[in-house]
Structures are given as structure tokens and as C-alpha cells.
Amino acid sequence: MGGDAPAGGGRTPGAAQSRPVSGRGRSQARRAAPAYAALDLGTNNCRLLIAEPSYHEFRVVDAFSRIVRLGEGLGLGDRLAEGAIDRTVGALRVCKAKIEARNVVRSRLVATEACRHASNGAEFIERVRAEVGLEIEVVDRQTEATLAVMGCASLAHPKAGSVVIFDIGGGSTELAWLDGQTGGDEICASERIRAWDSLPTGVVTLAERYGSTRVTHGVFEDMVAEVGGRLLPFALKAGAAAATPNFHLLGTSGTVTTIGGIHLGLERYDRRRVDGMWMRGDDIETVTDKLIESSIQERASNPCIGRDRADLVLAGCAILEAIRRAFPAPYLRIADRGLREGILMSMMLEDKVWVRRRRI
């Protein structure tokens, strides 16, 4: 697990508790605390996080995640499919019910690459507004990258001269080069971004183009080569990052958390063990090779992958491998946090909730 890696620095809002906390046994006053809601509607997942401010952190009180594959088919076309829309609307109804059940004072609900790319993305957003009653904002790539950085930057090592943070999504991959000491200073993390990029390639779109049932080493290398070509402009801007002291990669996505869970041999995925863990490059290669050699049935039976993601995990591994080749680093730190946490932080910072609490 790279146990001799430098200890990570700093706490971030939500880092201590990012699992739903039951309201049973709590006082009415405790349950009535004002809450914030953040929704990340991606190409593959619909994910909701509801949290209450808690001193210099936030406390998660409810969460929801469902694989909806909203962007299914976008690797080969430009329209959201009706089946994908219906699945997503169903998941959003669950999110709406959770938001209404909590004392949510402010929410931000964002959609990313699938809705940016699809020719009927605006129609879908309007349908959600009319049928579900949720106002969803389609954010641009820079906003998505910035929020993802805010959500996980506190895991960057405080002595790192530079860090490359990446978020491998279903339809796009965001990258940012952070300069200077970022650990523990998540509030100013967005101001430390020296360069950023968003690749129009994610696990869903890549898997649809190259196939996903049987991925040979040759097919895997073809995927890596495609992503590497798309990475080149960012690598030219941020190439100096890898030469700085204590440089490392920091990844947030289902791909990296899956690799971490497999490396640990978890019988059931455990966020507490994966979030913040360090991995060496050769350990990442071992897991990747194991996945390439496995059948899709074997991948589906792995508790850290599951049936819904068995056909996507190797596309994610290819994107990760391209990033590792562009930015050689002895260590990768894994974050099971990102866009939703960044959204929550940005709202709470704007509302100055922690400043007010410190004055009490």
C-alpha cells in the first residue's frame, strides 16, 4: 500500500465522516440543523450528498448513489437515449425525496459531460425540471475541474512541490496541476491551480469505442495511446510538475478507488480503508494486469467492481495508465471524495458558515 509514503496532510470538510448518519436516537433539534445538498449527475452515476456544517468540517447526514448510465451510447452518437433518461429520472426522484426529507437550506445540483455533449441535453434538463421539480445546472469543464480539486486537495502531501489531481469520469477526465503546499489548505486550493484541462474521454465513451467484454493487452495499449494523445497539450503545460520535490498524483474516481480496494484484497469495499491510501506504481500495474487477464464474469464477481462496472473498469485503467506515463510519479494517492464535496465546500464557504461558528 505504499506505507512508507509521506503522511498526508490536513483535514477537509467532510473528510472525517462521509457516510450517511442515521437520525434515529438524535434529538429533534439535532435533526433540524440546516443542511446543504450537492448532486453530481455524471455520464455514468447519479450521486447525492447532504451534509450539515460542523465547525471547520461538515457532517454527512444522507447520501445516494446509483449507476444510471445517462451517457450510454454517447461514444457512438450525440443523443441521450430514452432508456437512459428514464433510469436517470427515476434516480433523481429518489434524490428529490431525500432533499425534501432533510432541512436543506441550499443546494447545488450539477450535470457534467453527458449533458454538455448531448444534442438533447437541454430537453432532458427541462424534463427533469417539469417532472421531478429539480433545477439542474450544466457546468462547464473548468468549473467541474475546480470543484473536484476543492473536494480532494487536502489529501495532497503538504511538502509536495506540485501535485497533479485527476478525476476520471464517465464521459470526461479532468486534470489540474496544483503548485506549492496544498495539504490542509483546501480553501485556497483553487487559487493554486497552475494549469487545468478536461479531456472529452471517460470510461463509458472509451469502453464503447473499444469494446469491453474482452480487452486484450493490445486493445488496452490502443486505449492508452488514444488518451495519451489527448493528454499531450496538458502534459506540455504541466510537464514541469513531475520534477518538483515530493511530486505525486492524486486521483479521485471509481477507477482509482476500485484499484485500491482490489490491491487491499477487500471482501467488501470499505471507504475508510481506501480514502487517503497511497499506492506504488508497480502495485497499480499488478492490479491492472490482473484485470486484463480476467474475464468480464470474474471482474463482475469482484466485490470492489460489481456487475454494473465490470465492462468499464479497464477503460478507466487505461486512462489512469496514460496519466501515469505522462506524469511519472512514485506514488498515487487515492481519494474517495471529489466533486460533491467540492460543491458542498464552495456553498458553505460562500455562506461563511465556519466563520460564524468560530465567533460563537
Side-chain angles (χ1 to χ4, degrees):
M1 177 177 161
D4 58 346
R11 300 175 71 187
T12 183
Q17 296 185 41
S18 60
R19 299 177 62 191
V21 178
S22 171
R24 289 177 295 180
R26 307 288 186 182
S27 67
Q28 286 291 83
R30 184 68 188 87
R31 287 197 299 268
Y36 290 70
L39 176 80
D40 170 14
L41 179 57
T43 302
N44 195 44
N45 288 296
C46 175
R47 306 177 72 198
L48 173 73
L49 206 60
I50 300 176
E52 302 169 351
S54 176
Y55 300 101
H56 62 286
E57 299 182 334
F58 58 69
R59 171 184 174 273
V60 173
V61 296
D62 208 347
F64 173 79
S65 179
R66 180 181 294 176
I67 293 177
V68 295
R69 298 209 178 193
L70 176 60
E72 188 174 56
L74 284 181
L76 306 172
D78 70 346
R79 289 186 62 82
L80 302 175
E82 284 303 313
I85 290 175
D86 290 341
R87 288 193 300 270
T88 305
V89 168
L92 290 171
R93 292 188 192 279
V94 177
C95 295
K96 175 69 177 304
K98 286 182 173 290
I99 291 172
E100 290 181 340
R102 301 290 179 174
N103 185 28
V104 173
V105 296
R106 187 176 176 190
S107 63
R108 188 176 185 186
L109 319 176
V110 307
T112 56
E113 186 64 18
C115 290
R116 287 194 296 254
H117 175 78
S119 59
N120 59 339
E123 297 172 24
F124 164 71
I125 296 297
E126 175 56 27
R127 176 177 168 181
V128 171
R129 186 197 66 77
E131 295 185 12
V132 185
L134 293 179
E135 299 285 348
I136 296 182
E137 168 193 4
V138 181
V139 294
D140 59 35
R141 293 187 173 105
Q142 183 172 6
T143 300
E144 182 180 0
T146 301
L147 290 171
V149 166
M150 288 185 68
C152 66
S154 66
L155 286 179
H157 190 268
K159 294 184 179 179
S162 289
V163 178
V164 168
I165 297 179
F166 61 90
D167 182 357
I168 302 172
S172 65
T173 298
E174 279 64 50
L175 305 103
W177 168 23
L178 267 66
D179 197 10
Q181 295 185 0
T182 58
D185 194 12
E186 64 279 350
I187 291 175
C188 299
S190 60
E191 299 175 7
R192 298 181 183 275
I193 297 176
R194 291 280 301 276
W196 72 274
D197 201 357
S198 177
L199 312 183
T201 302
V203 297
V204 174
T205 51
L206 198 64
E208 288 180 347
R209 288 201 297 274
Y210 285 89
S212 54
T213 302
R214 181 73 181 102
V215 178
T216 65
H217 284 277
V219 171
F220 183 81
E221 286 297 326
D222 288 343
M223 290 193 288
V224 174
E226 177 185 324
V227 179
R230 295 183 182 274
L231 263 172
L232 187 58
F234 179 72
L236 291 174
K237 290 186 290 186
T244 60
N246 298 308
F247 170 74
H248 68 87
L249 296 171
L250 174 56
T252 169
S253 68
T255 294
V256 294
T257 56
T258 294
I259 289 175
I262 294 172
H263 173 64
L264 294 175
L266 299 181
E267 295 183 359
R268 181 178 181 182
Y269 182 77
D270 185 347
R271 180 198 181 275
R272 294 170 298 179
R273 295 188 62 186
V274 174
D275 182 51
M277 70 176 285
W278 295 90
M279 283 191 70
R280 298 176 184 271
D282 55 356
D283 292 328
I284 296 171
E285 292 169 8
T286 297
V287 173
T288 300
D289 288 340
K290 177 181 178 181
L291 291 173
I292 294 174
E293 296 297 331
S294 65
S295 67
I296 191 166
Q297 292 80 13
E298 290 170 328
R299 297 197 295 272
S301 65
N302 188 297
C304 293
I305 301 175
R307 183 181 59 186
D308 290 335
R309 300 181 62 251
D311 59 337
L312 304 177
V313 65
L314 280 169
C317 289
I319 296 171
L320 172 59
E321 181 61 21
I323 294 170
R324 292 180 59 242
R325 293 182 188 181
F327 298 96
Y331 293 106
L332 162 69
R333 197 167 202 194
I334 295 175
D336 190 342
R337 60 181 83 176
L339 185 59
R340 293 177 302 167
E341 288 81 359
I343 294 170
L344 289 170
M345 285 177 57
S346 66
M347 290 189 293
M348 293 180 188
L349 287 169
E350 288 171 2
D351 289 352
K352 298 181 172 58
V353 297
W354 294 300
V355 173
R356 289 200 299 269
R357 286 173 177 266
R358 288 190 187 105
R359 288 174 179 170
I360 294 174

